[in-house]
């Protein structure tokens, strides 16, 4: 699920902290947008749809499409509306229906 | 409950300008936005990014700094990270900040929630690696991240802006695949007079095109038969242009064919809306001050009809003047004196719109896609499903919910609502106005049971 990234970070100013995604350790820029940092780290997919299991990644980056849903420390949240914090434990949302997200 | 003269939802140009104008007139203002910093979509994160990336994003971006600076006014309370999920007709708001639900009420309410990118359902648009062009721009503004091996697809000036911004980062897009045709440009020529009056937009557009040409980015126009290929993620785009089939290998595909008002809140409180045939979307009904069918509630900015950032800023100020007048903080003479100058500026801002709308119409095959194309991303409902519902007697978007789950996923129809209206209108040979739109019910943002029950406790503790 972690591949070479298709996204380039322009300036490396911020400190990196450790988070986990599906058990893998990632070093992400602290305080930056979580969806953006996961993309830059080469994460794909963020989740699978409850209907067909199709892979999804962020689509709108503005809190409208809900394709960036991930589970952070047990709570399903929009990664594009969340900032990176040290020690976050992130996983794909359990594949129950998304309307109780 | 927090009480204020004016409650504003959305800290984009419309909301920020309204907040400042109202505060200057003596009103107390509560400004709520779910983003962690002010700016809205156009000026996203401008305070942090202007210094480091101002040269990439351009002057039209950094000019948003002044609006953000004005929010320091002592009568403005700007709450960041505040997602509003319920709005009452009585101007009561419920919102969550960091998982905690809060309530506030204003004597007046201004909805300044802006626009969404028009959904562009083409085969493969749900694959990872496919995003909106606006999403790529948000990555760049907010995070300083640029998409590599990207192809921009669709129509509209935003594609040129995003392409130019990418070029300035040193990671240019591979190509721009445009759907508008020469005949669209010909029909836009009728409105050239307006475009010349709004000449600044024309000059800017031409400068962007020159930048794209200098960088040697291939442009394809009048593209049709667009589809995205990939196994697990987007790997190529296919399309036909100038009678030739093309296939471009790429990693990211950025879709865009215009923006439409975000009507989630205005719908959820049952305000009147009408179909705008020129912008091909629903628009809330407002008067020249942004006042809606409920007299204490106003709408300003792109959420009330697409006009762009400067027009949004002016509309925000106009609403604030009328609200100040409503609440006795300003007399009609002063209001009209101040509004006169604003209205002249608004007219000149909007002069180029009819030209832009005609020259860059939406990609028609994505308005009523082929049967196999997914139109509801959340529930994976296809265009063919909706047509089948129509055959079974479904006439309006709300009825689709009796047939399947279109619009019932977490995005609540934000990226399928207009497509469902268009598909049903076409299948039933009715107008979009007659067909209508989804009924939107709160909460308009997902809320946890914990937030709801905490709120219930504070409610029941009230005397
Ligand atoms: C992704 C995107 C990128 C764009 N980029 C450009 C550009 O570069 N140049 C340009 O000229 N135009 C751009 N536009 C067009 C843009 O819509 C307008 O020019 C301008 O931003 C409109 O201003 P506004 O104040 O009406 O709304 P916006 O600037 O969109 O601001 C609306 C604000 O409301 C907030 N909001 C929405 N719903 C809620 C809620 N329920 N609770 C709390 N807060 C909420 C949002 O977080 C947002 O900050 C873009 C549009 C989009 C969608
Ligand atoms: S990417 Fe659309 S909601 Fe996060």
């Amino acid at each position: 699920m972690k591949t070479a990234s298709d996204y380039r970070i322009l300036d490396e100013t911020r400190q990196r902290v450790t988070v986990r995604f599906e058990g893998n350790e990632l070093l992400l820029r602290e305080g930056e947008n979580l969806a953006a940092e996961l993309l830059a780290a080469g994460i794909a997919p963020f989740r699978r749809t409850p209907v067909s299991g199709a892979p999804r990644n962020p689509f709108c980056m503005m809190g409208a499409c809900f394709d960036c849903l991930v589970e952070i420390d047990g709570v399903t949240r929009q990664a594009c509306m969340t900032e990176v914090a040290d020690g976050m434990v992130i996983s794909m949302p359990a594949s129950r229906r998304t309307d109780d997200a | 409950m927090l009480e204020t003269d004016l409650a504003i939802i959305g800290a984009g140009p419309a909301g920020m300008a309204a907040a400042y104008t109202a505060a200057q007139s003596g009103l107390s203002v509560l400004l709520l936005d779910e983003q962690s910093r002010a700016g809205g979509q156009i000026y996203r994160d401008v305070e942090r990014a202007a210094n480091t990336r101002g040269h990439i994003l351009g002057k039209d971006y950094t000019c948003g700094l002044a609006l953000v600076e004005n929010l320091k006014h002592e009568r403005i309370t700007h709450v960041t990270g505040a997602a509003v999920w319920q709005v009452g007709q009585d101007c009561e708001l419920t919102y969550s900040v960091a998982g905690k639900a809060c309530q506030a009420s204003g004597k007046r309410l201004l909805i300044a929630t802006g626009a969404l990118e028009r959904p562009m359902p083409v085969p493969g648009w749900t694959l990872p690696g496919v995003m909106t062009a606006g999403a790529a721009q948000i990555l760049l503004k907010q995070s300083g991240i640029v998409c590599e091996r990207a192809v921009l697809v669709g129509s509209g000036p935003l594609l040129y802006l995003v392409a130019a911004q990418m070029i300035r980062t040193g990671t240019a897009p591979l190509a721009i695949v445009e759907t508008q045709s020469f005949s669209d440009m010909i029909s836009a020529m009728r409105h050239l007079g307006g475009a010349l009056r709004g000449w600044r937009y024309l000059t800017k557009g031409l400068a962007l095109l020159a930048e794209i040409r200098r960088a040697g980015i291939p442009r394809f126009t009048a593209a049709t038969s667009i589809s995205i290929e990939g196994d697990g993620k987007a790997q190529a785009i296919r399309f036909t242009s100038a009678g030739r089939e093309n296939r471009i290998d790429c990693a990211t595909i950025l879709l865009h064919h215009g923006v439409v008002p975000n009507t989630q809140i205005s719908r959820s409180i049952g305000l009147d809306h009408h179909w705008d045939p020129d912008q091909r979307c629903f628009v809330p009904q407002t008067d020249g001050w942004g006042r809606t069918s409920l007299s204490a509630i106003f709408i300003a900015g792109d959420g009330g009809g697409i006009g762009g950032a400067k027009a949004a800023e002016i509309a925000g100020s106009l609403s604030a003047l009328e609200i100040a007048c409503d609440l006795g903080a300003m007399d009609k003479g002063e209001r009209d004196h101040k509004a006169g100058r604003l209205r002249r500026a608004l007219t000149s801002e909007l002069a180029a719109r009819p030209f832009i709308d005609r020259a860059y119409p939406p990609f028609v095959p994505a308005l009523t896609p082929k049967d196999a194309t997914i139109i509801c991303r959340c529930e994976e409902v296809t265009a063919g499903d909706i047509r089948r519902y129509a055959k079974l007697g479904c006439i309006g978007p709300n009825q689709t919910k009796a047939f399947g789950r279109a619009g019932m996923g977490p995005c609540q129809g934000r990226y399928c609502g207009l497509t469902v209206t268009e598909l049903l209108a076409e299948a039933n040979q009715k107008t979009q106005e007659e067909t209508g739109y989804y009924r939107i019910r709160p909460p308009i943002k997902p809320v946890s049971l914990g937030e709801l029950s905490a709120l219930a406790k504070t409610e029941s503790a009230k005397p």
Side-chain angles (χ1 to χ4, degrees):
Chain A
M1 94 193 21
K2 193 170 168 291
T3 54
S5 171
D6 300 316
Y7 304 85
R8 184 165 71 86
I9 296 181
L10 297 178
D11 40 21
E12 278 293 346
T13 43
R14 283 175 170 253
Q15 191 188 332
R16 288 190 175 248
V17 292
T18 309
V19 309
R20 283 182 170 277
F21 184 88
E22 291 283 309
N24 293 319
E25 218 170 78
L26 304 174
L27 281 171
L28 305 185
R29 295 181 299 168
E30 186 173 25
E32 292 286 352
N33 185 279
L34 177 62
E37 297 307 298
L38 290 176
L39 286 175
I43 296 296
F46 278 42
R47 68 179 189 108
R48 290 189 175 276
T49 60
V51 181
S52 73
R56 290 290 169 85
N57 261 26
F59 176 70
C60 75
M61 287 301 292
M62 57 181 280
C65 75
F66 294 80
D67 265 327
C68 65
L69 287 178
V70 290
E71 214 165 280
I72 305 170
D73 301 322
V75 183
T76 306
R77 287 162 66 185
Q78 290 163 286
C80 76
M81 303 298 286
T82 308
E83 289 182 356
V84 173
D86 194 10
M88 277 179 162
V89 177
I90 310 163
S91 59
M92 293 200 220
S95 61
R96 54 180 146 75
R97 295 207 63 87
T98 42
D99 45 356
D100 50 21
Chain B
M1 173 164 342
L2 210 62
E3 285 176 15
T4 181
D5 290 330
L6 171 60
I8 303 176
I9 312 171
M16 291 192 289
Y20 187 58
T21 305
Q24 275 188 314
S25 321
L27 303 185
S28 61
V29 179
L30 175 67
L31 176 61
L32 303 174
D33 195 299
E34 60 182 329
Q35 290 297 332
S36 45
R37 274 166 290 271
Q41 300 315 341
I42 174 153
Y43 308 129
R44 177 71 81 108
D45 239 350
V46 64
E47 255 189 329
R48 282 205 310 180
N51 273 337
T52 45
R53 295 188 278 284
H55 59 292
I56 290 170
L57 297 166
K59 245 180 64 204
D60 284 342
Y61 175 72
T62 50
C63 73
L65 271 176
L67 284 168
V68 176
E69 186 67 23
N70 284 345
L71 296 184
K72 293 189 180 133
H73 195 289
E74 56 179 9
R75 276 189 289 275
I76 300 176
T77 310
H78 174 205
V79 185
T80 58
V84 178
W85 48 267
Q86 181 160 312
V87 179
Q89 296 196 336
D90 52 2
C91 304
E92 270 190 29
L93 307 173
T94 316
Y95 57 98
S96 291
V97 184
K100 199 171 151 283
C102 317
Q103 285 188 307
S105 88
K107 293 187 183 122
R108 292 291 179 278
L109 169 66
L110 177 70
I111 303 168
T113 49
L116 296 173
E117 277 173 278
R118 184 191 296 280
M120 192 166 164
V122 293
W125 76 310
T126 54
L127 284 168
V130 184
M131 291 192 285
T132 67
Q137 210 194 22
I138 290 170
L139 285 175
L140 186 56
K141 287 174 182 169
Q142 181 170 273
S143 306
I145 287 177
V146 56
C147 304
E148 296 189 283
R149 297 179 54 233
V151 177
L152 291 155
V153 183
S155 81
L158 189 71
L159 285 182
Y160 303 147
L161 177 60
V162 174
Q165 289 169 335
M166 291 177 74
I167 291 167
R168 292 172 209 154
T169 68
T171 299
L174 299 178
I176 311 179
V177 177
E178 299 178 50
T179 56
Q180 83 285 350
S181 64
F182 189 64
S183 70
D184 293 324
M185 193 49 86
I186 297 291
S187 79
M189 284 302 169
R190 262 193 308 134
H191 301 278
L192 189 63
L196 292 174
R197 262 179 290 129
W199 57 273
R200 269 174 294 117
Y201 285 97
L202 213 58
T203 329
K204 274 178 200 163
L206 292 173
L208 292 175
L209 280 171
E211 206 172 337
I212 292 164
R213 204 172 315 116
R214 273 199 307 277
I217 314 296
R219 279 179 62 204
F220 300 86
T221 54
T224 55
S225 308
I226 295 171
S227 67
I228 298 161
E229 293 178 352
D231 181 13
K233 66 196 278 272
Q235 286 158 330
I237 177 139
R238 258 184 205 282
F239 59 95
T240 306
S241 167
R244 292 230 327 249
E245 274 190 43
N246 294 277
R247 184 179 181 282
I248 305 175
D249 282 323
C250 56
T252 310
I253 288 161
L254 305 172
L255 301 174
H256 176 86
H257 64 153
V259 296
V260 295
N262 173 0
T263 56
Q264 293 304 111
I265 291 181
S266 54
R267 288 275 175 194
S268 77
I269 34 184
L271 298 177
D272 293 340
H273 293 69
H274 67 272
W275 180 258
D276 180 335
D278 291 331
Q279 299 196 331
R280 220 154 161 158
C281 57
F282 285 105
V283 174
Q285 207 86 40
T286 54
D287 70 8
W289 302 102
R291 197 190 294 271
T292 68
S293 46
L294 284 170
S295 65
I297 301 183
F298 291 70
I299 299 180
D302 273 1
I306 304 305
K310 287 284 172 208
E313 184 180 333
I314 297 168
S317 300
L318 283 170
S319 291
L321 291 177
E322 174 72 347
I323 289 166
C325 200
D326 266 10
L327 300 180
M330 186 181 285
D331 61 36
K332 287 206 165 107
E334 189 184 349
R335 177 199 69 183
D336 292 341
H337 174 70
K338 290 189 164 146
R341 191 178 44 82
L342 290 169
R343 287 199 196 283
R344 280 190 295 281
L346 187 59
T347 308
S348 107
E349 269 312 310
L350 296 178
R353 272 287 137 188
F355 178 83
I356 298 173
D357 289 344
R358 299 265 176 344
Y360 298 103
F363 179 50
V364 174
L367 297 177
T368 49
K370 291 222 172 90
D371 278 354
T373 310
I374 288 178
I375 57 117
C376 166
R377 301 175 61 90
C378 299
E379 298 292 337
E380 298 178 79
V381 178
T382 64
D385 290 330
I386 303 293
R387 291 194 177 99
R388 201 162 40 78
Y389 304 163
K391 277 210 186 95
L392 295 171
C394 178
I395 52 168
N398 290 304
Q399 286 181 325
T400 58
K401 297 180 182 175
F403 294 90
R405 291 191 50 89
M408 290 168 76
C411 101
Q412 292 182 306
R414 285 172 176 85
Y415 286 105
C416 71
L418 286 173
T419 319
V420 169
T421 296
E422 295 268 13
L423 284 168
L424 288 177
E426 184 192 62
N428 293 319
Q429 302 193 337
K430 293 256 191 295
T431 63
Q432 293 89 342
E433 183 83 55
E434 289 166 324
T435 304
Y437 192 80
Y438 287 133
R439 194 173 305 119
I440 305 296
R441 291 214 174 77
I444 63 148
K445 293 266 160 178
V447 211
S448 71
L449 285 176
E451 284 163 77
L452 286 175
S453 64
L455 197 63
K457 273 190 208 126
T458 53
E459 282 290 290
S460 59
K462 273 187 195 163

